[in-house]
Amino acid sequence: MKNTAFKTFLITFICFGGLYVLLVLSSRYSQTSYHIIGTLLAVFSIFAFVMSELQKEKPVIANQWGILSGLALWGFLGEYLEHLGWLDIASWHYLPALLILTFFTIFLLKKTHLPVRFGFAFGHFLGIWTLHMLMITQFELLGKNHWSTYPTAVFIGIVALFSYIKIRRAKSIDQKMVWSLVLLLTSWTVLEYIWAWRLIPGPCSIS
């Protein structure tokens, strides 16, 4: 269990970056290739979800499959379909849906009606959605350099630091993995704010 947190962070980060590159490159190459990648994301999300169940006797592997399932689901719904104009879940108008899904996910986890491995899948998806919605709402309604973006980024950075401390103190596999995921998402979000402020060059966006 010693390297569980590091492996979770690294594997998820690599897949996160790989997903982003695939979406960007495919969107610039052709619409056909972009549709293929988008469809594969939906298929992979289901595949990873099933693998999470098949590997349930191995908590680390099962949880990691759950994390990847949630990532692919976001790639399909929050990136691919949004880019096509079919969905816009980053908009604050979708806040009620986000709150309802988050409530039921937490409720089912607390009541142990939802296996932890599936909690990682839904939790990862909802975590990306929450942070993305927060940032996009600020940028679109207030502007990228509005004063509120700075304390928001600082707060998220504090959460990232808190996550690192929790990782060091975590006793169980689930705790180490969940706080590693929180650390990754919050750190990435802070970077996105820094890129938006143009303090350092950021990655290319999907055209």
Side-chain angles (χ1 to χ4, degrees):
M1 193 174 73
K2 182 179 179 180
N3 297 317
T4 299
F6 175 73
K7 290 179 179 178
T8 301
F9 187 96
L10 183 61
I11 292 172
T12 308
F13 176 74
I14 291 173
C15 292
F16 202 103
L19 169 62
Y20 183 83
V21 171
L22 278 175
L23 287 170
V24 170
L25 293 182
S26 62
S27 70
R28 294 183 175 183
Y29 184 72
S30 71
Q31 277 295 95
T32 300
S33 62
Y34 189 64
H35 291 321
I36 291 173
I37 294 299
T39 302
L40 288 177
L41 283 173
V43 173
F44 181 79
S45 179
I46 297 172
F47 170 77
F49 195 83
V50 172
M51 287 299 298
S52 179
E53 173 64 18
L54 295 177
Q55 296 291 328
K56 61 183 179 181
E57 301 302 325
K58 302 174 181 178
V60 174
I61 297 176
N63 291 346
Q64 187 64 64
W65 276 117
I67 290 172
L68 297 183
S69 176
L71 176 61
L73 182 60
W74 170 259
F76 177 69
L77 296 178
E79 298 291 345
Y80 173 66
L81 293 186
E82 184 175 278
H83 182 60
L84 295 181
W86 295 359
L87 282 178
D88 186 19
I89 63 175
S91 170
W92 64 270
H93 294 96
Y94 280 80
L95 181 59
L98 173 60
L99 292 176
I100 291 172
L101 290 174
T102 300
F103 170 79
F104 277 108
T105 298
I106 295 174
F107 176 79
L108 292 175
L109 282 170
K110 288 288 186 180
K111 295 295 183 178
T112 66
H113 297 318
L114 183 70
V116 172
R117 56 189 177 276
F118 297 154
F120 272 98
F122 298 125
H124 192 192
F125 171 72
L126 294 171
I128 299 174
W129 187 0
T130 298
L131 292 171
H132 195 64
M133 177 184 287
L134 172 62
M135 185 177 64
I136 294 300
T137 298
Q138 282 189 308
F139 290 169
E140 291 185 347
L141 298 183
L142 303 174
K144 294 182 178 180
N145 292 303
H146 189 266
W147 67 267
S148 66
T149 62
Y150 300 101
T152 300
V154 169
F155 175 76
I156 295 174
I158 292 173
V159 175
L161 178 60
F162 177 75
S163 302
Y164 177 74
I165 295 173
K166 294 293 289 185
I167 291 171
R168 299 294 298 271
R169 297 178 178 178
K171 302 298 182 182
S172 70
I173 289 174
D174 293 340
Q175 289 176 347
K176 284 184 177 294
M177 295 186 76
V178 74
W179 286 113
S180 295
L181 190 57
V182 173
L183 176 61
L184 174 59
L185 294 181
T186 51
S187 299
W188 183 267
T189 302
V190 171
L191 270 178
E192 288 194 317
Y193 273 102
I194 293 174
W195 289 330
W197 299 329
R198 296 185 178 180
L199 297 179
I200 60 174
C204 298
S205 300
I206 297 175
S207 58

